[in-house]
Amino acid sequence: MKLIKEYLAFTSFVYRSVMFGIMPLVCIAGYICVGVFNHNYAGVLFSAMPVMVLVAEIVADTWLFGGIQGKDAAKIDYLKTSPKGMGMLRNALAMDLVRRFLFLLLVMTVCALANIALGVEMYGGDWVRRLAITLSLILSSYMVSVLCILFARFGSMLWQNMLAAYLGIFLESVCIGAVIAFDHPFAWAFLYAVLAAGASVLAVKIAMKKVRGGYYDK
C-alpha cells in the first residue's frame, strides 16, 4: 500500500484518469466491438493491440517522468532534502513498471477471453500455442516499452517521446514477426521475459543514477 501511495504522489489526476481508467476501457471495449462485427479484423487487431498500448505508454510518460534523466532538465531536487526522498522515487519508478505490465496483461487477457467467447480463431494450433504466443506479445511489448521510455527520459519534450514511440512500433513489429514466423513460442516468451526483467532493472538504475547526479551536475 505504501508503494502505491508513493507512486500516486507523482501522478496527476488527469494522468490517473486516462491511464488507469479511460485507456484500458477504450482498448477493451474497442476490441470487443470489432470482434462482434468482424472476426477477421479482430484477429489483426489482437496482434496490433500490444503496439497501440506501448505507443500510449511511451507518449504518456512525457507527463510523468519525462526528462528525469536529462542533464539540463529540472531535477526533483525537493526529494533530496529528505533522507527518504530517493527511496520514494525508486519505489515510484518500480511501481510504474508494475503498473505498465499489469495494464498490458489486463488488456490482452480480456481480449484473449473475448476471442474465446466470440469464436475468433487466433494463430491456429491448440490453446497451449495460443497462450504461448499471447505471453510473447505481452512480454515483448512490455520490454520494448521500457527500453523506449528509458531513452525518452533523457529528454522532456513531447516530440522526443513520439520519436521513441515510432522506434517502439518498429521494434515491437520485429518481435511480433519473429514470434509468428518462427515456431517455439514458449522459447520466445522466455527470451522476452529475461530481456524484460533486465530492461526493468536497467530503467530504474539509470533513472536513479541520473537524478542523484544532479548533485554534481552529471
Side-chain angles (χ1 to χ4, degrees), residues 36-200:
V36 169
F37 292 105
N38 194 309
H39 285 188
N40 293 329
Y41 286 150
V44 175
L45 183 58
F46 187 81
S47 296
M49 187 64 73
V51 180
M52 293 188 290
V53 171
L54 75 86
V55 168
E57 291 283 12
I58 295 169
V59 173
D61 193 69
T62 307
W63 299 285
L64 183 58
F65 292 118
I68 194 174
Q69 297 167 178
K71 181 177 180 181
D72 298 325
K75 300 291 184 178
I76 311 179
D77 293 323
Y78 63 89
L79 290 176
K80 299 171 186 175
T81 63
S82 169
K84 298 181 180 180
M86 290 294 97
M88 179 179 178
L89 177 60
R90 186 190 309 106
N91 292 339
L93 289 167
M95 281 303 302
D96 181 57
L97 296 179
V98 172
R99 198 275 309 162
R100 293 175 191 277
F101 180 76
L102 291 179
F103 175 17
L104 186 60
L105 180 63
L106 170 66
V107 170
M108 293 301 291
T109 299
V110 174
C111 290
L113 293 176
N115 285 342
I116 297 174
L118 297 172
V120 178
E121 291 295 331
M122 293 297 303
Y123 309 122
D126 56 16
W127 69 269
V128 175
R129 176 180 171 78
R130 293 195 293 270
L131 173 62
I133 293 178
T134 301
L135 283 175
S136 298
L137 297 181
I138 293 171
L139 292 167
S140 63
S141 178
Y142 171 78
M143 173 197 68
V144 171
S145 175
V146 173
L147 288 175
C148 289
I149 288 169
L150 169 61
F151 290 106
R153 285 175 178 171
F154 284 99
S156 58
M157 304 298 290
L158 176 60
W159 66 267
Q160 293 169 311
N161 282 66
M162 293 182 68
L163 284 178
Y166 291 138
L167 175 62
I169 293 173
F170 171 75
L171 293 177
E172 179 60 10
S173 298
V174 172
C175 291
I176 293 174
V179 172
I180 296 176
F182 301 97
D183 209 348
H184 310 296
F186 274 114
W188 285 108
F190 177 77
L191 173 62
Y192 291 146
V194 172
L195 294 176
S200 299

Side-chain angles (χ1 to χ4, degrees), residues 2 8 32-33 42 45 50 75 77 83 112 140 151 189 202 205:
K2 177 184 176 182
L8 294 179
I32 292 176
C33 288
L45 183 58
K75 300 291 184 178
D77 293 323
S140 63
F151 290 106
L202 192 64
K205 284 186 175 295

